[in-house]
Amino acid sequence: MSAFESYKETTRLLQAHERWFQESIPLIASENVSSPAVREALASDFGHRYAEGWPGERVYAGCTYIDEVELLCLDLVKKLFKAEFADVRPISGVVSNLVIYTAFTNPGDTMMALSIPCGGHITTGKKRLGGTAGAVRGLDVQYLALDYRELNIDVERTEKRVRKLVTEGKTPSLVMFGASVFPFPHPIKELADVFHDVGCTIGYDAAHVAGLIAGEIFQDPLKEGADVMSLSTHKTFFGPQHGSVVSWEKFSEQIKRATFPGMVSNHHLHALAGVTLACAEMLQFGKDYSRQVVKNAKALAQALHEVGFKVLAEHKGFTESHVILVDVTEQGDGGTIERGLEKANIIINRNLLPWDIREGRHFMNPGGIRLGTSEVTRLGMKESEMKDLAEFMKRVVLKGENSATVKHDVTQFRKEYSKLHYCF
Ligand SMILES: *Cc1c(COP(=O)(O)O)cnc(C)c1O
C-alpha cells in the first residue's frame, strides 16, 4: 500500500467502525459513549499542549485557559465524589492505580485485592501474571476472599487472611477494594477497622462504578472508610477515556507528587477538557442516569433469566450496579458465544467465572459472559428494551438462529436509538 492508500484506508476503517457501532447493541460493561460536546473537546487544541505541574504552578507557558479548565474540573470532581482533594491528571484508570501504589506503598510491600477470576483487574495482579501491582510496582499481591454465591468479598475469611499475613510478617500496606466484575457494593465499612488497625491504607478502585457513585446509587467509599479512590472517567461515567484520584487533604502532597513528576508528563489536556464537560453533565443528569442504569441491569438480568440464561446472584436480584455475569457453560463457552453474538451485532465480552481456573477453564474460553448497561442507557433504552435485548441474545445463543437474520433485526432496532440522552 502506498502512503496515500494507507491514509485513505485508515479513514475508511474509521468510518466503517462508526457505522458498525451505530448498528450494534453495545453491552461491554467497561465502555460508554460521550456527548457531542465531549467529543468536540477531544478534537480541540488542548490536545496539542503541555501543562506539567499544578494549575498556577506550571512548568510551561500558554496554560492560561488550560489552568482555568483544570481548576473547574477539580471543583466538579470534588463535588461529585464529596472529596477534599482530587488530582485529575492521571490519564487512565491504570495510571490512577499506579499513582496510588506510588503514593502509598514501597516495592516489596504486601497489597491485598481480588484475584482476576474473582473480578479483580490486571492492575491489581500478581507479578507472575504480569499485573501492574506485581510486575510494575513490585508489590506482593495477596487475595481478598470472595464468596462465590454472594459474588462479594467474604468479610470473615478476609479478616482471617489479614491476621495470618500479619503473623507471617507480611502486614499489608495497601488494600484495593473495587473490581471489574462488580455487581454489589464492597464491605468497606465492615473491614475498615481490620485494615486501619494494622496500619493498612484503604484504596478503592472505582474504575467501573464512578458514574454510579457520582449519581449516589452505589456506595460512598470515602465516607465508608476509604483513604483514596481511583477512577476511570469512561465506564459508567460520561467522559472520554481518562483517570483521576480522589482523597483527603492530608494525602494531597504525596498523591500530587506521585502523579507529577512520577506518572505523567503531558496529561491529555483534550481529554481533561472532555472530563470537565462530562462532570457538568454528571452533576446535572447523573442521578437520573445512574438510577436507570441499575434498573436496566436488573431488568436485563431478569429478562435473560426468564428466557433461559443462567444469570448469577439470582437470590439477591442479580446486581446493584451496571454489571451482570452470566454462566454460559450449558451453552458452550464465553469465547465462542462472544464471537457468535458479535456476528449478530451484539457486542459483549467473555469473562472468567470465579471458579473457572479451578475447573480448568482458560481466559480465552471461560465459562461466563459479562454485560453492562451504561451505554444502552445513554442511548435512551429503558426496562422494556432490555426484554428486546434478551430476546435477541436468546435467538443467537439459545436457539442457534442464523446470525445474519438477527443482525438485520438488531440493525433495524438500533435505528430508534441514535440520539444520546442525559446531556445538555
Ligand atoms: C478498567 C479498569 C481499570 C483500568 O482503567 P483504564 O481507564 O482502562 O486504564 C482499573 N481497574 C479496574 C477495576 C478496571 O475495571
Side-chain angles (χ1 to χ4, degrees):
M1 234 187 259
S2 73
F4 188 59
E5 278 164 358
S6 312
Y7 177 92
K8 278 197 303 190
E9 177 63 0
T10 307
T11 317
R12 187 193 68 77
L13 291 169
L14 274 169
Q15 286 167 351
H17 174 88
E18 290 268 346
R19 198 175 326 113
W20 185 29
F21 269 72
Q22 279 161 14
E23 295 175 348
S24 300
I25 296 169
L27 288 168
I28 304 261
S30 56
E31 294 181 355
N32 209 333
V33 266
S34 48
S35 66
V38 168
R39 293 177 71 149
E40 220 169 278
L42 288 182
S44 71
D45 183 68
F46 269 34
H48 303 133
R49 306 301 155 202
Y50 270 89
E52 284 183 353
W54 198 254
E57 309 162 10
R58 303 293 197 191
V59 186
Y60 284 79
C63 298
T64 307
Y65 300 105
I66 293 168
D67 276 10
E68 292 203 30
V69 170
E70 188 162 325
L71 288 171
L72 266 173
C73 193
L74 287 167
D75 244 22
L76 288 163
V77 166
K78 284 191 275 186
K79 196 177 282 175
L80 285 166
F81 295 99
K82 303 180 190 75
E84 287 179 4
F85 170 77
D87 190 335
V88 294
R89 297 170 299 172
I91 58 168
S92 67
V94 169
V95 170
S96 303
N97 281 353
L98 263 170
V99 166
I100 293 182
Y101 302 160
T102 306
F104 294 96
T105 69
N106 288 303
D109 283 2
T110 303
M111 177 185 114
M112 293 189 82
L114 284 170
S115 71
I116 291 167
C118 289
H121 184 254
I122 49 170
T123 34
T124 52
K126 283 185 192 275
K127 182 171 182 181
R128 86 181 143 75
L129 302 172
T132 314
V136 180
R137 185 57 179 167
L139 299 175
D140 172 18
V141 178
Q142 298 289 331
Y143 295 138
L144 297 166
L146 187 85
D147 183 321
Y148 288 180
R149 187 172 141 75
E150 297 297 308
L151 285 188
N152 205 341
I153 293 167
D154 185 320
V155 172
E156 244 169 68
R157 277 166 54 223
T158 294
E159 197 173 339
K160 269 190 206 140
R161 286 189 191 179
V162 174
R163 294 201 197 297
K164 183 151 179 283
L165 286 170
V166 172
T167 54
E168 289 168 351
K170 295 194 214 161
T171 306
S173 49
L174 175 67
V175 56
M176 286 298 279
F177 286 96
S180 302
V181 178
F182 201 174
F184 302 103
H186 279 170
I188 311 171
K189 245 189 277 178
E190 291 80 351
L191 283 164
D193 287 346
V194 173
F195 286 108
H196 280 151
D197 286 351
V198 299
C200 177
T201 301
I202 300 181
Y204 184 100
D205 183 340
H208 262 269
V209 293
L212 307 182
I213 293 171
E216 299 180 349
I217 190 74
F218 202 57
Q219 62 189 145
D220 185 350
L222 291 175
K223 194 169 163 205
E224 292 167 30
D227 299 303
V228 60
M229 177 159 90
S230 58
L231 319 172
S232 293
T233 51
H234 49 269
K235 294 185 181 181
T236 49
F237 209 82
F238 286 162
Q241 294 181 330
H242 198 74
S244 280
V245 171
V246 300
S247 183
W248 304 93
E249 191 54 47
K250 62 181 171 186
F251 300 123
S252 60
E253 287 310 314
Q254 70 203 77
I255 293 169
K256 276 166 136 173
R257 200 174 147 68
T259 304
F260 176 81
M263 219 57 65
V264 297
S265 174
N266 87 77
H267 54 285
H268 296 189
L269 298 161
H270 53 315
L272 181 78
V275 169
T276 311
L277 294 166
C279 283
E281 293 168 352
M282 192 52 76
L283 203 56
Q284 183 77 17
F285 308 104
K287 286 207 174 73
D288 288 344
Y289 156 79
S290 60
R291 270 153 196 74
Q292 193 61 48
V293 167
V294 177
K295 277 193 222 165
N296 282 352
K298 286 174 183 287
L300 180 59
Q302 182 64 37
L304 287 167
H305 171 76
E306 282 168 14
V307 300
F309 282 95
K310 189 170 172 190
V311 187
L312 297 187
E314 184 198 348
H315 70 292
K316 44 199 277 194
F318 307 106
T319 185
E320 294 295 331
S321 75
H322 63 305
V323 174
I324 62 181
L325 192 58
V326 186
D327 177 343
V328 292
T329 48
E330 277 171 32
Q331 288 81 39
D333 72 86
T336 310
I337 286 167
E338 175 189 291
R339 287 189 294 278
L341 286 167
E342 191 190 78
K343 282 196 197 123
N345 281 10
I346 301 167
I347 315 294
I348 60 108
N349 71 273
R350 64 181 181 278
N351 213 96
L352 286 167
L353 301 172
W355 48 87
D356 267 357
I357 300 293
R358 192 170 293 178
E359 295 186 1
R361 280 186 291 269
H362 179 260
F363 179 70
M364 289 311 287
N365 297 298
I369 57 173
R370 183 187 70 164
L371 312 172
T373 52
S374 320
E375 192 168 341
V376 291
T377 304
R378 222 170 176 210
L379 291 171
M381 296 187 202
K382 297 227 155 75
E383 288 94 321
S384 72
E385 284 85 354
M386 296 304 111
K387 289 188 185 155
D388 298 323
L389 303 193
E391 196 60 35
F392 286 131
M393 288 182 63
K394 172 181 124 182
R395 287 169 58 190
V396 177
V397 180
L398 304 181
K399 298 287 171 206
E401 202 176 315
N402 185 314
S403 45
T405 326
V406 184
K407 178 177 170 171
H408 173 264
D409 294 350
V410 165
T411 304
Q412 286 303 113
F413 171 85
R414 242 320 285 271
K415 288 199 172 125
E416 303 292 318
Y417 306 95
S418 57
K419 194 176 145 274
L420 208 71
H421 291 64
Y422 310 101
C423 58
F424 292 107

